Amino acid sequence: MEYTPTDITPPELRPSALACHVPGWAEAAPTPADVHDWAQRQAVALVPFELDARGWPLHPAGRTGKCGRNLGRWGENAAADPIVVAGTGPVRRVPLITRDDIHQEAIPGGMVDPGETAPKALLRELREETGVDLAGHQPHVLGRDLLDDWRQSDHAWVASTSALFVLPAAVTATAADDALDASWYPFGSLDRLDAAITAAGRTLYAAHRPLLQRALDHLAEH
């Protein structure tokens, strides 16, 4: 059967709209053919990727069933996801935000700005979305991974640097930027976290489950 992916490009990123106005969070290229630094992007990618015969980037995990772009950049969109853990054992907790786009509980992270390093993005996103300022704290980088982001397509996707910050006790977290709410949740296990989020009438963002589990695994080993 012929492969016919669904174009997920929103109106503001279609060529006719980009010709008039480019959103601040997006690049101006209407198609990957209009991007001219693929070699550089491949060289700094968190997750290696290839180009097809047209010179278009290919999702490292294969076909997604979607084409077009609903992210800021064609190819890899680098994100930073800071996981903050406070306390130990049964009183261990983690702060999550309620995202304003999908209304689910998620790590308070976001996209790395052009020219910004992942360590700086981790601190900035945490501060912008929760008001928690951990400047001076050295996080442990957990991994650099593809995310199963709801906006991904065959030619645009998200790869995240996730890092763990450990605090002796919880600090005040206040929702800001694109977070509707910020709350501390029990973090003894993913099951406990799920139960607490469900009890609050909310849902955990599925793409962040592997990152949170990796943090739990690291804490169990150290």
Side-chain angles (χ1 to χ4, degrees):
M1 181 179 295
E2 184 180 356
Y3 179 57
T4 55
T6 301
D7 190 336
I8 61 169
T9 306
E12 63 268 26
L13 294 184
R14 296 193 179 276
S16 58
L18 289 174
C20 299
H21 171 72
V22 180
W25 50 271
E27 66 179 351
T31 75
D34 301 293
V35 175
H36 304 294
D37 63 345
W38 284 120
Q40 180 181 348
R41 295 192 189 195
Q42 287 178 293
V44 300
L46 297 179
V47 179
F49 66 92
E50 301 296 331
L51 305 178
D52 65 15
R54 298 174 295 174
W56 289 30
L58 294 173
H59 195 299
R63 290 175 170 175
T64 63
K66 296 179 286 186
C67 64
R69 172 170 64 117
N70 194 10
L71 288 161
R73 289 162 58 91
W74 291 103
E76 182 179 279
N77 290 257
D81 287 302
I83 301 172
V84 180
V85 172
T88 59
V91 297
R92 181 191 295 148
R93 295 193 290 166
V94 64
L96 299 177
I97 63 163
T98 306
R99 289 177 50 151
D100 67 356
D101 52 0
I102 55 175
H103 297 267
Q104 295 181 355
E105 303 302 278
I107 298 166
M111 296 302 175
V112 178
D113 288 340
E116 185 179 38
T117 65
K120 288 185 178 179
L122 288 163
L123 294 171
R124 176 183 55 76
E125 286 290 343
L126 182 64
R127 183 177 61 253
E128 288 179 354
E129 297 193 340
T130 68
V132 175
D133 189 347
L134 295 186
H137 288 71
Q138 292 299 318
H140 172 79
V141 174
L142 296 168
R144 298 172 177 87
D145 309 278
L146 289 173
L147 286 191
D148 188 17
D149 190 275
W150 63 278
R151 297 162 294 185
Q152 69 183 345
S153 73
D154 290 352
H155 307 295
W157 58 89
V158 178
S160 171
T161 297
S162 57
L164 177 65
F165 293 84
V166 178
L167 303 180
V171 296
T172 301
T174 305
D177 197 30
D178 55 0
L180 298 176
D181 193 14
S183 304
W184 286 89
Y185 288 98
F187 196 50
S189 67
L190 271 189
D191 286 342
R192 286 193 63 197
L193 179 62
D194 276 331
I197 290 173
T198 299
R202 298 174 179 175
T203 303
L204 178 61
Y205 178 40
H208 283 172
R209 293 181 68 86
L211 307 185
L212 292 165
Q213 184 60 61
R214 184 176 293 170
L216 286 167
D217 292 345
H218 176 82
L219 291 167
E221 296 169 359
H222 296 82

